[in-house]
Each structure stands twice: as structure tokens, then as C-alpha cells.
């Protein structure tokens, strides 16, 4: 059974940092791309970042470029999203998702973790 479990969300002040983790199981980690999405109340889901297993390529939404970094630890079957210089507009539920080999992703989804940035 494929499982994606997010963790690391919480409450942080503007300008602060958080690191989200997405622990994957139930599939061959090296064969899958994993990405992060977010959804704020009343807004559409937004793709944030993605890392492709086929060539290690990374992708970022313009709104987070230069502030967020995605990385993968294949030994731990975990993808991280380091979020720096957080802004109140980053407040959302963050989800990780996976797909075969390449971004974009969306075949499998985690349950989400709440990130709240206070001003």
C-alpha cells in the first residue's frame, strides 16, 4: 500500500523557517517523483515544488523561488521542503504527492500538514 506521510508543519512568525518531511512507503522510492502542493482556505490548490527521480530535476512555483528548497534522502525514503523567509501568504495545508518518474505529480497523496505563518 502506497503511503505518504507529511510532518513538520506548525505555527511560525513571518520571516521564520520550517522544514516539512514527506515519508514514503509502499513503492520503490527511486522510481517516483515527489512534489509539494498547498491549499489555503478559499483558494485553489497550488503546486509548490517537485523533484524528479529520473534526473533529479527540481521545480518551484514563482511564489516560493529563492525561499523554499526541495531535497530527497533516498536512504530514508523521504523528501523535504525547507521553507525559509516565510510569509503570511504561505499559510496553507501542505500536501505531498507522488507520481512515476517525473513531475508533475498527483497519483498518490498524503494527508497534509498545516503551516501557519503569523504576521
Amino acid at each position: 500500500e502506497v503511503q505518504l506521510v507529511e510532518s513538520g508543519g506548525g505555527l511560525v512568525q513571518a520571516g521564520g523557517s520550517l522544514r516539512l518531511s514527506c515519508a514514503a512507503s509502499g513503492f520503490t522510492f527511486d522510481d517516483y517523483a515527489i512534489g509539494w502542493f498547498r491549499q489555503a482556505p478559499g483558494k485553489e490548490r497550488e503546486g509548490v515544488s517537485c523533484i524528479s527521480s529520473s534526473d533529479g530535476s527540481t521545480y518551484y512555483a514563482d511564489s516560493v523561488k529563492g525561499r523554499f528548497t526541495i531535497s530527497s534522502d533516498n536512504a530514508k525514503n523521504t523528501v523535504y521542503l525547507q521553507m525559509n523567509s516565510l510569509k503570511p501568504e504561505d499559510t496553507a495545508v501542505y500536501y505531498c504527492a507522488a507520481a512515476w518518474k517525473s513531475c508533475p505529480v498527483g497519483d498518490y497523496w498524503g494527508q497534509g500538514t498545516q503551516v501557519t505563518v503569523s504576521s
Side-chain angles (χ1 to χ4, degrees):
E1 178 188 5
V2 173
Q3 281 195 320
L4 299 171
V5 180
E6 303 96 334
S7 61
L11 173 64
V12 64
Q13 288 189 330
S17 298
L18 283 174
R19 188 178 77 159
L20 304 183
S21 300
C22 174
S25 61
F27 58 88
T28 303
F29 187 78
D30 293 354
D31 288 339
Y32 279 74
I34 294 184
W36 290 92
F37 293 79
R38 66 186 181 186
Q39 188 163 22
K43 295 189 177 181
E44 292 188 355
R45 187 174 60 201
E46 174 190 20
V48 175
S49 183
C50 189
I51 184 164
S52 173
S53 64
S54 60
D55 61 4
S57 299
T58 57
Y59 304 90
Y60 297 94
D62 288 343
S63 57
V64 306
K65 279 181 182 176
R67 300 188 298 122
F68 291 11
T69 303
I70 192 169
S71 62
S72 177
D73 185 338
N74 289 11
K76 295 183 178 180
N77 287 6
T78 300
V79 168
Y80 303 98
L81 186 68
Q82 178 67 43
M83 306 187 296
N84 298 329
S85 302
L86 283 162
K87 304 175 182 180
E89 51 263 45
D90 294 318
T91 295
V93 178
Y94 283 71
Y95 300 89
C96 69
W100 174 257
K101 288 295 187 186
S102 300
C103 304
V105 296
D107 293 339
Y108 305 102
W109 291 86
Q111 84 288 350
T113 186
Q114 176 71 47
V115 171
T116 303
V117 184
S118 63
S119 57

